[in-house]
Amino acid sequence: ELESCILELGEIYITTENITKLREFILQSTDYSMRLAKSKTAKILKTLIDKFEQVPDSLDDQIYVCEKSIEFAKREKRMFLKNSLTIKLANLHYQKKQYKDALNLINSLLTEFKKLDDKPSLVDVHLLECKVYHKLRNLAKSKAALTASRTAANSIYCPTVTMAELDLMSGVLHCEDKDYKTAFSYFYESFESYHNLTTHNSYERACTVLKYMLLSKIMLNLIDDVKQILNAKYTKK
């Protein structure tokens, strides 16, 4: 089947870390998949772009592919695809430390999603906004964005990975307020979520959160708790 052929060829370029071929192939994939249903074209494109992040040192290429794919979505008047790719692009700008570019996209997305009352997207975009403002050291805006994200999340079913990120950012912001006890409980929730996930970077995320858990206990001077965590079964793993 055409869909699985496209995805498998993309997988080969990802495994061999062939950035140039992958970049060209993702942009051409829309031509191949145009004869499929619109939803399948969108799924193929998003899958390939998401998997691109597994290739090391490819951030600039991911940004390029994302921008070109957004142009395609606009031309084809596929607003849902355009919006989800724009969230991805804002995330890539955040990873590249291009915070101004990320915020510009975030602000336009928030306007759009509030009009549509698209709760799942509002959760994701407000969460990203929270991270960007935290990096810019604007803690008041970071907290406001986190509250907005949690409010939207309360009225829908949220994926585990999103809840893990929300708990992680809650812990980080409580640390900023020197409330290490509350921070620890959020980190623990986040750690449990990541620990149970099997996505390609969930192991790394779990390790990061585990370090934050230990640091919270160190800041509280609870050295026995630190030893207890270090000797726990989940830590050994």
Side-chain angles (χ1 to χ4, degrees):
E1 191 186 300
L2 182 61
E3 183 185 355
S4 51
C5 285
I6 294 171
L7 291 173
E8 277 178 38
L9 185 52
E11 197 68 58
I12 291 167
Y13 292 142
I14 289 158
T15 312
T16 55
E17 296 180 3
N18 192 332
I19 292 178
T20 316
K21 283 276 190 207
L22 187 59
R23 201 172 106 148
E24 286 169 18
F25 180 67
I26 292 176
L27 296 177
Q28 287 168 352
S29 71
T30 48
D31 297 336
Y32 306 137
S33 60
M34 281 298 264
R35 67 195 79 162
L36 298 170
K38 279 188 174 185
S39 59
K40 283 205 169 172
T41 310
K43 184 186 153 200
I44 290 167
L45 190 58
K46 282 168 69 181
T47 304
L48 290 170
I49 288 173
D50 283 344
K51 287 195 165 191
F52 204 156
E53 67 186 35
Q54 295 174 27
V55 183
D57 305 320
S58 64
L59 210 47
D60 288 327
D61 297 278
Q62 288 179 60
I63 289 171
Y64 174 80
V65 165
C66 224
E67 286 171 343
K68 289 291 176 195
S69 300
I70 289 167
E71 285 171 23
F72 161 79
K74 282 181 185 168
R75 274 199 312 275
E76 295 294 318
K77 296 187 171 53
R78 298 188 189 182
M79 298 325 284
F80 188 78
L81 177 61
K82 178 198 80 108
N83 289 340
S84 65
L85 289 172
T86 308
I87 295 176
K88 177 75 182 174
L89 182 60
N91 263 297
L92 292 170
H93 280 310
Y94 165 73
Q95 288 171 40
K96 191 89 175 37
K97 299 184 171 59
Q98 296 167 335
Y99 302 128
K100 191 168 178 289
D101 293 328
L103 277 179
N104 288 339
L105 291 174
I106 285 166
N107 290 332
S108 66
L109 284 167
L110 287 175
T111 309
E112 184 99 9
F113 292 138
K114 279 171 188 166
K115 269 191 289 189
L116 297 168
D117 195 32
D118 181 346
K119 292 278 197 307
S121 299
L122 281 170
V123 174
D124 292 340
V125 179
H126 276 306
L127 178 55
L128 180 59
E129 182 188 25
C130 165
K131 292 177 185 177
V132 173
Y133 278 125
H134 179 252
K135 290 289 186 193
L136 292 170
R137 307 305 296 150
N138 188 332
L139 298 184
K141 282 193 173 179
S142 184
K143 285 175 190 172
L146 184 66
T147 304
S149 185
R150 279 205 179 275
T151 305
N154 284 341
S155 57
I156 55 164
Y157 166 76
C158 251
T160 308
V161 68
T162 308
M163 287 313 297
E165 283 292 312
L166 279 169
D167 287 333
L168 173 55
M169 282 314 295
S170 297
V172 168
L173 289 173
H174 277 288
C175 275
E176 294 284 4
D177 290 339
K178 298 187 168 43
D179 179 0
Y180 303 113
K181 195 175 176 203
T182 311
F184 177 84
S185 58
Y186 276 117
F187 289 144
Y188 186 74
E189 290 290 327
S190 178
F191 174 80
E192 285 223 297
S193 299
Y194 277 124
H195 190 56
N196 295 325
L197 282 169
T198 51
T199 51
H200 92 97
N201 67 344
S202 57
Y203 176 78
E204 285 167 38
R205 297 299 278 164
C207 290
T208 301
V209 182
L210 185 57
K211 288 175 190 170
Y212 291 174
M213 283 162 63
L214 290 164
L215 285 168
S216 304
K217 290 294 186 186
I218 290 166
M219 293 305 286
L220 290 163
N221 218 13
L222 298 169
I223 304 309
D224 288 345
D225 286 8
V226 171
K227 287 174 186 164
Q228 207 178 335
I229 293 169
L230 286 172
N231 290 321
K233 202 168 92 181
Y234 59 77
T235 315
K236 292 277 192 287
K237 186 178 169 185

